[in-house]
Amino acid sequence: MAEIPRWLIIIGIVLIAVGLLWQVGGRFLPIGRLPGDFLFKGENTTVYIPIMTSIIISVVLSLIFLIIGRFR
Protein backbone atom coordinates (compact mmCIF):
# COMPACT_ATOMS: atom_id res chain seq x y z
CA MET A 1 0.00 0.00 0.00
CA ALA A 2 2.95 2.33 0.56
CA GLU A 3 3.90 2.05 -3.12
CA ILE A 4 0.76 3.76 -4.46
CA PRO A 5 1.83 7.36 -3.63
CA ARG A 6 5.26 6.67 -5.13
CA TRP A 7 3.73 5.39 -8.37
CA LEU A 8 1.36 8.36 -8.55
CA ILE A 9 4.31 10.75 -8.25
CA ILE A 10 6.23 8.86 -10.94
CA ILE A 11 3.22 8.86 -13.28
CA GLY A 12 2.76 12.60 -12.67
CA ILE A 13 6.39 13.34 -13.49
CA VAL A 14 6.19 11.23 -16.65
CA LEU A 15 3.01 13.03 -17.76
CA ILE A 16 4.61 16.43 -17.17
CA ALA A 17 7.71 15.37 -19.13
CA VAL A 18 5.60 14.06 -22.01
CA GLY A 19 3.56 17.27 -22.05
CA LEU A 20 6.68 19.42 -22.17
CA LEU A 21 8.21 17.29 -24.91
CA TRP A 22 4.98 17.45 -26.86
CA GLN A 23 4.88 21.25 -26.61
CA VAL A 24 8.56 21.87 -27.36
CA GLY A 25 9.11 18.88 -29.63
CA GLY A 26 6.01 19.65 -31.66
CA ARG A 27 7.90 22.45 -33.30
CA PHE A 28 10.68 20.13 -34.42
CA LEU A 29 8.94 16.75 -34.76
CA PRO A 30 5.82 16.62 -36.93
CA ILE A 31 3.78 14.50 -34.50
CA GLY A 32 0.28 14.34 -35.93
CA ARG A 33 1.41 15.21 -39.44
CA LEU A 34 3.37 12.10 -40.33
CA PRO A 35 3.08 10.16 -43.57
CA GLY A 36 0.39 7.60 -42.86
CA ASP A 37 -1.83 10.07 -40.98
CA PHE A 38 -4.89 10.63 -43.12
CA LEU A 39 -6.86 13.85 -43.33
CA PHE A 40 -10.11 13.95 -45.30
CA LYS A 41 -11.75 17.33 -45.78
CA GLY A 42 -15.24 17.71 -47.11
CA GLU A 43 -17.43 20.76 -47.45
CA ASN A 44 -18.77 20.60 -43.92
CA THR A 45 -16.69 17.90 -42.23
CA THR A 46 -13.10 17.00 -41.54
CA VAL A 47 -11.96 13.50 -40.60
CA TYR A 48 -8.46 12.93 -39.22
CA ILE A 49 -7.13 9.39 -38.77
CA PRO A 50 -3.65 9.37 -37.12
CA ILE A 51 -2.57 5.81 -37.94
CA MET A 52 1.23 6.35 -38.04
CA THR A 53 1.23 8.64 -35.00
CA SER A 54 -0.70 6.00 -33.05
CA ILE A 55 1.76 3.29 -34.05
CA ILE A 56 4.78 5.38 -33.03
CA ILE A 57 3.23 6.33 -29.68
CA SER A 58 2.37 2.67 -29.07
CA VAL A 59 5.95 1.53 -29.78
CA VAL A 60 7.45 4.24 -27.56
CA LEU A 61 5.10 3.45 -24.67
CA SER A 62 5.77 -0.28 -25.06
CA LEU A 63 9.52 0.35 -24.82
CA ILE A 64 9.08 2.57 -21.77
CA PHE A 65 6.97 -0.03 -19.98
CA LEU A 66 9.43 -2.77 -20.96
CA ILE A 67 12.29 -0.80 -19.44
CA ILE A 68 10.30 -0.01 -16.29
CA GLY A 69 9.32 -3.68 -15.98
CA ARG A 70 12.95 -4.81 -16.11
CA PHE A 71 13.95 -2.54 -13.20
CA ARG A 72 11.10 -3.73 -11.06
Side-chain angles (χ1 to χ4, degrees), residues 8-68:
L8 288 175
I9 291 171
I10 291 171
I11 291 170
I13 291 171
V14 168
L15 287 175
I16 289 171
V18 167
L20 288 173
L21 284 174
W22 198 300
Q23 283 290 83
V24 175
R27 296 181 186 146
F28 306 109
L29 299 171
I31 299 293
R33 296 172 300 204
L34 298 172
D37 292 346
F38 298 105
L39 179 66
F40 302 105
K41 289 187 178 183
E43 288 184 25
N44 297 324
T45 59
T46 301
V47 177
Y48 177 66
I49 304 170
I51 294 173
M52 189 58 67
T53 300
S54 299
I55 291 170
I56 290 175
I57 291 173
S58 175
V59 169
V60 169
L61 286 175
S62 295
L63 290 173
I64 289 171
F65 288 129
L66 177 72
I67 292 169
I68 290 173

